[in-house]
Amino acid sequence: MNSVIRKILVLLLLAPAAVSAQNGDAADSLFLYRQSVRQLDFISGNMTQLTASDIRQAAEIGLRVENISGGLRPVQVAQTTTIASLYTQGVRTLGRFRLQGNFAFSRNWEDSLQWNMRGDGIDDGTPYYYATPKAGVFERANYNIGGIVAYSLIREKLYIGTDLNYYYNTATGSVDPRPAVNEFRLQARPGITWRSARHTVGVAALIGYGDERTQVAYKNGMFETGSFYPDRINYMVQGYAGIQQMKEAFKREKEYSGIGGYYAGQWKDWTIKANLDYTVTHITNLFNRPGSATDTLFATYQQDKTVFSLLLQQQKRNSSRQVYAGMTQDNGKDRNTTLNGSSYRFHHRNVYAGYEHLWRKESRWQPELGFLLTYDNTQRKDVTRSHITNYSYVLPQLHAGVYTHNRYHDRFAVHIWPSVQLPLDNKLTAPDPTLESSPRPFTQGVVYPDYYYAGSTLAAVRANFTYITGRLLKQFNTGVTAGVQYTKALQVPDHPLMNDRLVNGHRLGVSCSFNLYF
């Protein structure tokens, strides 16, 4: 079974690279223009959008280096993160087969990360993970391989196929307590699609399985005595404030299921693409007790996710317009075996809508303007510790860009995105650690600082520059992209537990990538 999956994934990855170099001019245009990149993202999302697309072949392979640093961040995000990655993606048509493949490998180095020993380091609302107050150094390796195989049973009409995705992650820490995390995930989405002259519809079902294993060790035995070194205590975070001292090996068994519906079509001179996916993730948390032959169940958690996305495109001779919108909603609930009931609930909603207008003038300069408005709300409720949070913000963002070329047919693109994050009516119900005799390390170390971060007004500006040429390599078009993003707090709440890093903090990210286009 594993060998068959590997062969399919290798086929998906190699198919894009086999595209003739003569398609380089078309391919680099697809990856240069932002509206085309957004279309490619839709095409790569599922079998229905892939088969509805008129793009027959295009691919890129690239190397990217990125560094992000600064104190203006949530507590469970590293002070400094450096990422080096290799990636490739592409689409191709082979007879009755429509193929899409993608591969990404990244090595992450994170410095001064505290209260977070998750394998991928991402706070997705999931409880039951190890954490420590001590800021440490982490190294992660991420592998993500995926693709789509679609076969036309009735030529250009009826398609069957599946999406495949394999993810593997390792994470290790070099400061006591030292975690070692290994995680994998395998998902498939078999489906069927019908295509007519102007409309394409499809449905698919998601199935998948994952496994995450965590171990914690101390190199220095003195740090294991928590009473003398409280910042070295290893905790199990059971919700959002509920913590317990633990260091046993534990694992998460994950099961994925879901269903999706997809549409692509034409209405007058507009192209319409829409996706709707519903996914259920069920996590079983187990302890591996020393001397025990079986694992011990201590909690389960289920999270339901609904994702909707919409893309409207109007293409004219001298201009193109794009309207895009979407919504993501998560609802999670646990069941703790010790309490014999639920102690934690999570809710998250993100809604966005944007517009882009590109003027395709016959002159060398092609300007582009747009805007994006995002609304985000996150709610957590930890019953055992009487903690309730409700954070919301709106984020308006503007976009200005220009595309041009020189007499050697080299292409250039410059973009800038100014934005401001405006907090709404944020609410926190939690005991004030400064007024209590017994310490609440997670409340003081995470809950309150993140409450102040959520209540801060943040201004950001992002910019990037892209250069693509066919003169460096004869067989391929090559491109270089450099980017920068700077974030600064304009206003922060005033409170005795405020961390100075927010008041005087900032966040700076820089990146550079080198790409080949096929």
Side-chain angles (χ1 to χ4, degrees):
M1 179 65 178
N2 291 334
S3 62
V4 174
I5 294 174
R6 283 196 298 268
K7 289 178 181 179
I8 294 175
L9 294 176
V10 168
L11 173 63
L12 291 171
L13 294 173
L14 294 182
V19 178
S20 169
Q22 294 177 355
N23 297 305
D25 290 339
D28 63 33
S29 295
L30 289 172
F31 292 104
L32 175 68
Y33 288 95
R34 286 185 49 79
Q35 294 188 19
S36 298
V37 170
R38 197 171 286 116
Q39 287 184 319
L40 283 172
D41 289 341
F42 257 79
I43 293 170
S44 302
N46 55 73
M47 182 180 70
T48 300
Q49 301 297 348
L50 176 65
T51 55
S53 171
D54 293 329
I55 300 175
R56 296 297 175 178
Q57 51 191 31
E60 71 166 342
I61 182 170
L63 294 169
R64 178 184 173 91
V65 178
E66 181 177 7
N67 179 269
I68 308 169
S69 63
L72 190 60
R73 56 184 172 83
V75 173
Q76 295 176 307
V77 174
Q79 173 78 11
T80 302
T81 300
T82 301
I83 305 172
S85 57
L86 167 68
Y87 55 89
T88 180
Q89 63 171 325
V91 297
R92 185 159 190 207
T93 301
L94 292 174
R96 291 197 174 195
F97 283 96
R98 298 294 302 273
L99 304 174
Q100 187 275 336
N102 60 83
F103 167 80
F105 166 75
S106 66
R107 178 78 69 176
N108 299 21
W109 297 269
E110 300 178 4
D111 192 6
S112 299
L113 177 64
Q114 60 183 146
W115 287 110
N116 187 354
M117 292 184 181
R118 298 179 179 92
D120 55 14
I122 299 174
D123 178 14
D124 60 356
T126 304
Y128 302 104
Y129 59 92
Y130 276 155
T132 182
K134 178 64 177 177
V137 178
F138 283 74
E139 184 173 338
R140 308 180 194 275
N142 300 285
Y143 304 82
N144 204 323
I145 306 173
I148 304 171
V149 179
Y151 178 75
S152 179
L153 284 177
I154 302 176
R155 187 176 294 275
E156 300 295 329
K157 293 291 184 181
L158 179 64
Y159 292 86
I160 59 169
T162 187
D163 305 4
L164 292 171
N165 181 266
Y166 175 79
Y167 172 79
Y168 180 74
N169 164 69
T170 64
T172 57
S174 57
V175 175
D176 287 343
R178 302 165 186 257
V181 185
N182 290 276
E183 177 186 6
F184 89 91
R185 178 177 65 243
L186 179 62
Q187 295 176 323
R189 191 188 290 133
I192 185 170
T193 292
W194 174 261
R195 179 177 181 179
S196 66
R198 297 179 63 86
H199 305 281
T200 304
V201 294
V203 294
L206 173 69
I207 54 173
Y209 176 79
D211 183 274
E212 180 181 337
R213 298 172 184 264
T214 303
Q215 293 181 321
V216 175
Y218 287 84
K219 188 174 182 179
N220 189 330
M222 294 189 301
F223 292 144
E224 291 192 68
T225 57
S227 58
F228 294 102
Y229 303 95
D231 64 331
R232 304 279 185 162
I233 297 176
N234 192 74
Y235 295 101
M236 168 64 71
V237 181
Q238 300 176 340
Y240 195 64
I243 58 176
Q244 185 176 352
Q245 295 187 35
M246 290 182 181
K247 58 182 179 181
E248 291 92 347
F250 86 98
K251 69 176 181 179
R252 294 173 168 181
E253 295 180 347
K254 305 179 182 181
E255 296 179 354
Y256 304 93
S257 60
I259 190 169
Y262 317 102
Y263 171 79
Q266 294 285 136
W267 182 72
K268 295 184 178 179
D269 57 349
W270 286 88
T271 300
I272 304 171
K273 300 180 185 295
N275 299 326
L276 179 61
D277 285 290
Y278 175 73
T279 304
V280 177
T281 303
H282 184 82
I283 303 175
T284 302
N285 299 281
L286 303 161
F287 275 128
N288 185 1
R289 302 287 188 184
S292 175
T294 60
D295 297 323
T296 302
L297 172 68
F298 66 93
T300 61
Y301 179 74
Q302 180 169 306
Q303 188 157 306
D304 303 341
K305 178 188 287 288
T306 303
V307 180
F308 171 75
S309 55
L310 174 68
L311 181 65
L312 308 177
Q313 177 90 29
Q314 184 189 55
Q315 189 77 39
K316 293 187 175 182
R317 179 180 178 182
N318 296 321
S319 68
S320 61
R321 295 190 292 172
Q322 197 172 76
V323 178
Y324 57 100
M327 184 273 292
T328 299
Q329 180 166 299
D330 296 279
N331 292 289
K333 181 180 179 180
D334 81 327
R335 181 171 181 81
N336 190 303
T337 57
T338 303
L339 301 175
N340 194 29
S342 175
S343 62
Y344 171 77
R345 296 193 178 189
F346 173 77
H347 171 80
H348 174 250
R349 176 178 296 170
N350 181 278
V351 182
Y352 66 90
Y355 173 79
E356 298 274 1
H357 193 121
L358 172 64
W359 287 267
R360 293 181 176 272
K361 299 181 179 180
E362 295 182 0
S363 65
R364 289 172 52 186
W365 302 93
Q366 299 180 346
E368 185 175 47
L369 295 175
F371 69 87
L372 172 66
L373 182 63
T374 302
Y375 166 80
D376 192 274
N377 173 256
T378 302
Q379 302 175 33
R380 303 176 197 255
K381 184 177 182 180
D382 191 315
V383 178
T384 60
R385 296 297 185 270
S386 301
H387 283 58
I388 302 175
T389 64
N390 189 341
Y391 305 151
S392 300
Y393 68 81
V394 293
L395 195 155
Q397 176 180 273
L398 300 177
H399 167 233
V402 63
Y403 304 90
T404 187
H405 62 274
N406 60 20
R407 61 191 181 94
Y408 301 106
H409 302 290
D410 298 335
R411 301 173 183 228
F412 305 86
V414 180
H415 300 275
I416 185 169
W417 297 267
S419 64
V420 59
Q421 182 172 309
L422 303 171
L424 300 178
D425 187 20
N426 294 332
K427 297 179 182 179
L428 169 63
T429 301
D432 190 334
T434 62
L435 303 178
E436 295 192 328
S437 57
S438 59
R440 291 178 178 262
F442 192 90
T443 302
Q444 185 166 352
V446 178
V447 176
Y448 270 93
D450 280 358
Y451 170 63
Y452 308 138
Y453 177 83
S456 300
T457 300
L458 310 179
V461 60
R462 179 166 64 97
N464 69 28
F465 168 79
T466 300
Y467 167 66
I468 296 177
T469 180
R471 295 184 292 157
L472 185 61
L473 298 175
K474 293 183 178 180
Q475 294 182 330
F476 311 110
N477 284 345
T478 58
V480 177
T481 297
V484 61
Q485 177 167 331
Y486 180 77
T487 306
K488 178 70 177 177
L490 298 182
Q491 184 179 3
V492 296
D494 185 18
H495 193 278
L497 292 178
M498 167 60 66
N499 194 314
D500 289 339
R501 66 178 174 80
L502 293 183
V503 178
N504 302 311
H506 66 276
R507 193 79 170 161
L508 176 65
V510 294
S511 63
C512 184
S513 61
F514 176 80
N515 301 288
L516 299 178
Y517 305 101
F518 302 86

